[in-house]
Amino acid sequence: ANVIITISDDDAQSILVDPAAVTIAEGNATGATVGVSLGQQPDRDVVVNLAASDMGGATVEPATLTFTPANYATKQNVKIVAPQDNDTANENVQINLTAAGIQSRSVAVTVTDDDTQAVVVSANTLEVNEAGTGTFTVRLAFDPGASVGVSVISADTTVATVNPMVLNFNSANYAAG
């Protein structure tokens, strides 16, 4: 007698990443490399799409990886870099890996910002005639991310005074000067 047996495969395809988390410095062209492979041999080509949750915080290349039944277990390298930005904040970005019919994975990316906030003045010296006025501009080098007050103080108020004494900056006006 012939018996028909159906075998149900209980192995689920998975996207493997190594490492699952990286820390990179802003503006460093070397960035970090992550290896990606599949957990099981597929019966046809599998395309894995890669995208950053915040392109201003980190970028990933290539944008797609193709795995075949022959190369599914071979790690394909992905490069993650953090471009320069105009703030001083560290950032957390996710690199999302997706493929049709497979549970998505992500790589946690911590971006260490390399910028240091600075007050930028239009002139280091200012000549003012007695009883006269003079003007200079003040701005911040980078987006403060919140409201920031900068005090402007005269070293000798019997010789010169300043007005206004506090300059308020935010993300909209920090570079205006």
Side-chain angles (χ1 to χ4, degrees), residues 144-171:
S147 293
V148 173
V150 174
S151 297
V152 183
I153 302 168
S154 172
D156 185 348
T157 58
T158 62
V159 176
T161 59
V162 294
N163 186 27
M165 293 176 63
V166 176
L167 304 172
N168 292 303
F169 295 98
N170 58 41
S171 294

PDB file of all heavy atoms in Angstrom, residues 144-171:
ATOM      1  N   PRO A 144      20.614  74.966  18.708  1.00  0.00           N
ATOM      2  CA  PRO A 144      20.612  74.578  20.117  1.00  0.00           C
ATOM      3  C   PRO A 144      19.554  73.530  20.464  1.00  0.00           C
ATOM      4  O   PRO A 144      19.623  72.921  21.528  1.00  0.00           O
ATOM      5  CB  PRO A 144      20.330  75.896  20.837  1.00  0.00           C
ATOM      6  CG  PRO A 144      19.519  76.682  19.856  1.00  0.00           C
ATOM      7  CD  PRO A 144      20.057  76.294  18.505  1.00  0.00           C
ATOM      8  N   GLY A 145      18.585  73.319  19.595  1.00  0.00           N
ATOM      9  CA  GLY A 145      17.555  72.318  19.857  1.00  0.00           C
ATOM     10  C   GLY A 145      16.492  72.779  20.838  1.00  0.00           C
ATOM     11  O   GLY A 145      15.459  72.149  20.971  1.00  0.00           O
ATOM     12  N   ALA A 146      16.720  73.879  21.546  1.00  0.00           N
ATOM     13  CA  ALA A 146      15.769  74.454  22.504  1.00  0.00           C
ATOM     14  C   ALA A 146      16.121  75.929  22.650  1.00  0.00           C
ATOM     15  O   ALA A 146      17.135  76.391  22.126  1.00  0.00           O
ATOM     16  CB  ALA A 146      15.863  73.735  23.846  1.00  0.00           C
ATOM     17  N   SER A 147      15.294  76.669  23.383  1.00  0.00           N
ATOM     18  CA  SER A 147      15.590  78.080  23.627  1.00  0.00           C
ATOM     19  C   SER A 147      16.811  78.213  24.517  1.00  0.00           C
ATOM     20  O   SER A 147      16.943  77.515  25.524  1.00  0.00           O
ATOM     21  CB  SER A 147      14.393  78.766  24.279  1.00  0.00           C
ATOM     22  OG  SER A 147      13.324  78.808  23.373  1.00  0.00           O
ATOM     23  N   VAL A 148      17.725  79.120  24.110  1.00  0.00           N
ATOM     24  CA  VAL A 148      18.958  79.358  24.856  1.00  0.00           C
ATOM     25  C   VAL A 148      19.148  80.863  24.969  1.00  0.00           C
ATOM     26  O   VAL A 148      19.003  81.588  23.981  1.00  0.00           O
ATOM     27  CB  VAL A 148      20.174  78.742  24.118  1.00  0.00           C
ATOM     28  CG1 VAL A 148      21.479  79.125  24.798  1.00  0.00           C
ATOM     29  CG2 VAL A 148      20.047  77.237  24.037  1.00  0.00           C
ATOM     30  N   GLY A 149      19.470  81.342  26.181  1.00  0.00           N
ATOM     31  CA  GLY A 149      19.770  82.751  26.391  1.00  0.00           C
ATOM     32  C   GLY A 149      21.273  82.951  26.490  1.00  0.00           C
ATOM     33  O   GLY A 149      21.959  82.200  27.174  1.00  0.00           O
ATOM     34  N   VAL A 150      21.792  83.960  25.779  1.00  0.00           N
ATOM     35  CA  VAL A 150      23.205  84.307  25.837  1.00  0.00           C
ATOM     36  C   VAL A 150      23.306  85.703  26.446  1.00  0.00           C
ATOM     37  O   VAL A 150      22.722  86.661  25.929  1.00  0.00           O
ATOM     38  CB  VAL A 150      23.855  84.282  24.440  1.00  0.00           C
ATOM     39  CG1 VAL A 150      25.291  84.794  24.498  1.00  0.00           C
ATOM     40  CG2 VAL A 150      23.794  82.882  23.850  1.00  0.00           C
ATOM     41  N   SER A 151      24.029  85.817  27.556  1.00  0.00           N
ATOM     42  CA  SER A 151      24.210  87.110  28.218  1.00  0.00           C
ATOM     43  C   SER A 151      25.330  87.878  27.544  1.00  0.00           C
ATOM     44  O   SER A 151      26.382  87.330  27.227  1.00  0.00           O
ATOM     45  CB  SER A 151      24.562  86.911  29.696  1.00  0.00           C
ATOM     46  OG  SER A 151      23.497  86.272  30.366  1.00  0.00           O
ATOM     47  N   VAL A 152      25.084  89.174  27.328  1.00  0.00           N
ATOM     48  CA  VAL A 152      26.087  90.071  26.769  1.00  0.00           C
ATOM     49  C   VAL A 152      26.389  91.086  27.869  1.00  0.00           C
ATOM     50  O   VAL A 152      25.504  91.820  28.311  1.00  0.00           O
ATOM     51  CB  VAL A 152      25.581  90.783  25.499  1.00  0.00           C
ATOM     52  CG1 VAL A 152      26.668  91.655  24.901  1.00  0.00           C
ATOM     53  CG2 VAL A 152      25.066  89.770  24.491  1.00  0.00           C
ATOM     54  N   ILE A 153      27.637  91.106  28.332  1.00  0.00           N
ATOM     55  CA  ILE A 153      27.999  91.896  29.511  1.00  0.00           C
ATOM     56  C   ILE A 153      29.183  92.797  29.176  1.00  0.00           C
ATOM     57  O   ILE A 153      30.157  92.365  28.553  1.00  0.00           O
ATOM     58  CB  ILE A 153      28.371  90.966  30.690  1.00  0.00           C
ATOM     59  CG1 ILE A 153      27.201  90.040  31.002  1.00  0.00           C
ATOM     60  CG2 ILE A 153      28.778  91.765  31.914  1.00  0.00           C
ATOM     61  CD1 ILE A 153      27.549  88.913  31.942  1.00  0.00           C
ATOM     62  N   SER A 154      29.101  94.025  29.622  1.00  0.00           N
ATOM     63  CA  SER A 154      30.221  94.950  29.489  1.00  0.00           C
ATOM     64  C   SER A 154      31.187  94.699  30.642  1.00  0.00           C
ATOM     65  O   SER A 154      30.778  94.544  31.790  1.00  0.00           O
ATOM     66  CB  SER A 154      29.729  96.392  29.539  1.00  0.00           C
ATOM     67  OG  SER A 154      30.816  97.299  29.592  1.00  0.00           O
ATOM     68  N   ALA A 155      32.472  94.668  30.335  1.00  0.00           N
ATOM     69  CA  ALA A 155      33.486  94.480  31.376  1.00  0.00           C
ATOM     70  C   ALA A 155      33.580  95.710  32.261  1.00  0.00           C
ATOM     71  O   ALA A 155      34.004  95.608  33.415  1.00  0.00           O
ATOM     72  CB  ALA A 155      34.838  94.176  30.747  1.00  0.00           C
ATOM     73  N   ASP A 156      33.186  96.886  31.763  1.00  0.00           N
ATOM     74  CA  ASP A 156      33.231  98.118  32.554  1.00  0.00           C
ATOM     75  C   ASP A 156      32.050  98.982  32.135  1.00  0.00           C
ATOM     76  O   ASP A 156      32.105  99.700  31.131  1.00  0.00           O
ATOM     77  CB  ASP A 156      34.553  98.849  32.315  1.00  0.00           C
ATOM     78  CG  ASP A 156      34.721 100.075  33.203  1.00  0.00           C
ATOM     79  OD1 ASP A 156      33.732 100.511  33.851  1.00  0.00           O
ATOM     80  OD2 ASP A 156      35.847 100.605  33.245  1.00  0.00           O
ATOM     81  N   THR A 157      30.977  98.957  32.895  1.00  0.00           N
ATOM     82  CA  THR A 157      29.759  99.695  32.547  1.00  0.00           C
ATOM     83  C   THR A 157      29.917 101.203  32.686  1.00  0.00           C
ATOM     84  O   THR A 157      29.056 101.941  32.227  1.00  0.00           O
ATOM     85  CB  THR A 157      28.566  99.203  33.388  1.00  0.00           C
ATOM     86  OG1 THR A 157      28.876  99.356  34.773  1.00  0.00           O
ATOM     87  CG2 THR A 157      28.216  97.770  33.069  1.00  0.00           C
ATOM     88  N   THR A 158      31.000 101.680  33.303  1.00  0.00           N
ATOM     89  CA  THR A 158      31.236 103.126  33.343  1.00  0.00           C
ATOM     90  C   THR A 158      31.795 103.617  32.012  1.00  0.00           C
ATOM     91  O   THR A 158      31.772 104.804  31.726  1.00  0.00           O
ATOM     92  CB  THR A 158      32.212 103.510  34.487  1.00  0.00           C
ATOM     93  OG1 THR A 158      33.474 102.890  34.257  1.00  0.00           O
ATOM     94  CG2 THR A 158      31.647 103.100  35.839  1.00  0.00           C
ATOM     95  N   VAL A 159      32.291 102.706  31.196  1.00  0.00           N
ATOM     96  CA  VAL A 159      32.856 103.058  29.896  1.00  0.00           C
ATOM     97  C   VAL A 159      31.892 102.710  28.762  1.00  0.00           C
ATOM     98  O   VAL A 159      31.726 103.477  27.823  1.00  0.00           O
ATOM     99  CB  VAL A 159      34.204 102.337  29.683  1.00  0.00           C
ATOM    100  CG1 VAL A 159      34.758 102.612  28.299  1.00  0.00           C
ATOM    101  CG2 VAL A 159      35.202 102.746  30.746  1.00  0.00           C
ATOM    102  N   ALA A 160      31.246 101.542  28.849  1.00  0.00           N
ATOM    103  CA  ALA A 160      30.337 101.097  27.782  1.00  0.00           C
ATOM    104  C   ALA A 160      29.245 100.211  28.357  1.00  0.00           C
ATOM    105  O   ALA A 160      29.474  99.441  29.292  1.00  0.00           O
ATOM    106  CB  ALA A 160      31.114 100.338  26.725  1.00  0.00           C
ATOM    107  N   THR A 161      28.062 100.332  27.815  1.00  0.00           N
ATOM    108  CA  THR A 161      26.947  99.464  28.196  1.00  0.00           C
ATOM    109  C   THR A 161      26.474  98.714  26.955  1.00  0.00           C
ATOM    110  O   THR A 161      26.777  99.101  25.823  1.00  0.00           O
ATOM    111  CB  THR A 161      25.770 100.274  28.782  1.00  0.00           C
ATOM    112  OG1 THR A 161      25.321 101.215  27.808  1.00  0.00           O
ATOM    113  CG2 THR A 161      26.186 100.996  30.060  1.00  0.00           C
ATOM    114  N   VAL A 162      25.731  97.660  27.194  1.00  0.00           N
ATOM    115  CA  VAL A 162      25.205  96.865  26.078  1.00  0.00           C
ATOM    116  C   VAL A 162      23.689  96.795  26.172  1.00  0.00           C
ATOM    117  O   VAL A 162      23.108  96.853  27.256  1.00  0.00           O
ATOM    118  CB  VAL A 162      25.795  95.437  26.068  1.00  0.00           C
ATOM    119  CG1 VAL A 162      27.269  95.478  25.794  1.00  0.00           C
ATOM    120  CG2 VAL A 162      25.497  94.714  27.346  1.00  0.00           C
ATOM    121  N   ASN A 163      23.072  96.697  25.019  1.00  0.00           N
ATOM    122  CA  ASN A 163      21.623  96.559  24.963  1.00  0.00           C
ATOM    123  C   ASN A 163      21.279  95.806  23.688  1.00  0.00           C
ATOM    124  O   ASN A 163      21.720  96.209  22.610  1.00  0.00           O
ATOM    125  CB  ASN A 163      20.959  97.936  24.964  1.00  0.00           C
ATOM    126  CG  ASN A 163      19.448  97.833  25.056  1.00  0.00           C
ATOM    127  OD1 ASN A 163      18.923  96.871  25.596  1.00  0.00           O
ATOM    128  ND2 ASN A 163      18.757  98.810  24.504  1.00  0.00           N
ATOM    129  N   PRO A 164      20.573  94.714  23.770  1.00  0.00           N
ATOM    130  CA  PRO A 164      20.032  94.054  24.963  1.00  0.00           C
ATOM    131  C   PRO A 164      21.122  93.271  25.700  1.00  0.00           C
ATOM    132  O   PRO A 164      22.163  92.953  25.138  1.00  0.00           O
ATOM    133  CB  PRO A 164      18.970  93.117  24.401  1.00  0.00           C
ATOM    134  CG  PRO A 164      19.458  92.775  23.032  1.00  0.00           C
ATOM    135  CD  PRO A 164      20.183  94.003  22.546  1.00  0.00           C
ATOM    136  N   MET A 165      20.830  92.967  26.939  1.00  0.00           N
ATOM    137  CA  MET A 165      21.805  92.248  27.762  1.00  0.00           C
ATOM    138  C   MET A 165      21.670  90.736  27.637  1.00  0.00           C
ATOM    139  O   MET A 165      22.575  90.007  28.015  1.00  0.00           O
ATOM    140  CB  MET A 165      21.684  92.685  29.215  1.00  0.00           C
ATOM    141  CG  MET A 165      22.101  94.151  29.407  1.00  0.00           C
ATOM    142  SD  MET A 165      21.885  94.766  31.069  1.00  0.00           S
ATOM    143  CE  MET A 165      22.995  93.743  31.976  1.00  0.00           C
ATOM    144  N   VAL A 166      20.539  90.261  27.117  1.00  0.00           N
ATOM    145  CA  VAL A 166      20.327  88.832  26.901  1.00  0.00           C
ATOM    146  C   VAL A 166      19.792  88.639  25.488  1.00  0.00           C
ATOM    147  O   VAL A 166      18.842  89.306  25.077  1.00  0.00           O
ATOM    148  CB  VAL A 166      19.339  88.230  27.932  1.00  0.00           C
ATOM    149  CG1 VAL A 166      19.063  86.766  27.620  1.00  0.00           C
ATOM    150  CG2 VAL A 166      19.861  88.393  29.344  1.00  0.00           C
ATOM    151  N   LEU A 167      20.414  87.752  24.768  1.00  0.00           N
ATOM    152  CA  LEU A 167      19.976  87.390  23.422  1.00  0.00           C
ATOM    153  C   LEU A 167      19.386  85.985  23.490  1.00  0.00           C
ATOM    154  O   LEU A 167      20.025  85.079  24.021  1.00  0.00           O
ATOM    155  CB  LEU A 167      21.150  87.423  22.445  1.00  0.00           C
ATOM    156  CG  LEU A 167      21.905  88.746  22.359  1.00  0.00           C
ATOM    157  CD1 LEU A 167      23.158  88.580  21.509  1.00  0.00           C
ATOM    158  CD2 LEU A 167      21.014  89.837  21.795  1.00  0.00           C
ATOM    159  N   ASN A 168      18.190  85.821  22.962  1.00  0.00           N
ATOM    160  CA  ASN A 168      17.526  84.519  23.002  1.00  0.00           C
ATOM    161  C   ASN A 168      17.587  83.863  21.631  1.00  0.00           C
ATOM    162  O   ASN A 168      17.212  84.456  20.627  1.00  0.00           O
ATOM    163  CB  ASN A 168      16.068  84.679  23.443  1.00  0.00           C
ATOM    164  CG  ASN A 168      15.995  85.119  24.883  1.00  0.00           C
ATOM    165  OD1 ASN A 168      16.533  84.455  25.756  1.00  0.00           O
ATOM    166  ND2 ASN A 168      15.356  86.247  25.146  1.00  0.00           N
ATOM    167  N   PHE A 169      18.085  82.622  21.620  1.00  0.00           N
ATOM    168  CA  PHE A 169      18.213  81.857  20.384  1.00  0.00           C
ATOM    169  C   PHE A 169      17.386  80.582  20.465  1.00  0.00           C
ATOM    170  O   PHE A 169      17.174  80.035  21.558  1.00  0.00           O
ATOM    171  CB  PHE A 169      19.674  81.484  20.130  1.00  0.00           C
ATOM    172  CG  PHE A 169      20.570  82.663  19.889  1.00  0.00           C
ATOM    173  CD1 PHE A 169      21.345  83.179  20.908  1.00  0.00           C
ATOM    174  CD2 PHE A 169      20.623  83.255  18.638  1.00  0.00           C
ATOM    175  CE1 PHE A 169      22.179  84.269  20.688  1.00  0.00           C
ATOM    176  CE2 PHE A 169      21.437  84.332  18.396  1.00  0.00           C
ATOM    177  CZ  PHE A 169      22.222  84.849  19.432  1.00  0.00           C
ATOM    178  N   ASN A 170      16.930  80.118  19.305  1.00  0.00           N
ATOM    179  CA  ASN A 170      16.226  78.840  19.192  1.00  0.00           C
ATOM    180  C   ASN A 170      16.556  78.232  17.833  1.00  0.00           C
ATOM    181  O   ASN A 170      17.379  78.773  17.099  1.00  0.00           O
ATOM    182  CB  ASN A 170      14.715  79.035  19.402  1.00  0.00           C
ATOM    183  CG  ASN A 170      14.132  80.025  18.404  1.00  0.00           C
ATOM    184  OD1 ASN A 170      14.477  80.027  17.232  1.00  0.00           O
ATOM    185  ND2 ASN A 170      13.242  80.896  18.886  1.00  0.00           N
ATOM    186  N   SER A 171      15.904  77.146  17.501  1.00  0.00           N
ATOM    187  CA  SER A 171      16.195  76.452  16.235  1.00  0.00           C
ATOM    188  C   SER A 171      15.911  77.300  15.010  1.00  0.00           C
ATOM    189  O   SER A 171      16.525  77.122  13.967  1.00  0.00           O
ATOM    190  CB  SER A 171      15.385  75.156  16.151  1.00  0.00           C
ATOM    191  OG  SER A 171      15.833  74.264  17.139  1.00  0.00           O
TER     192      SER A 171
END
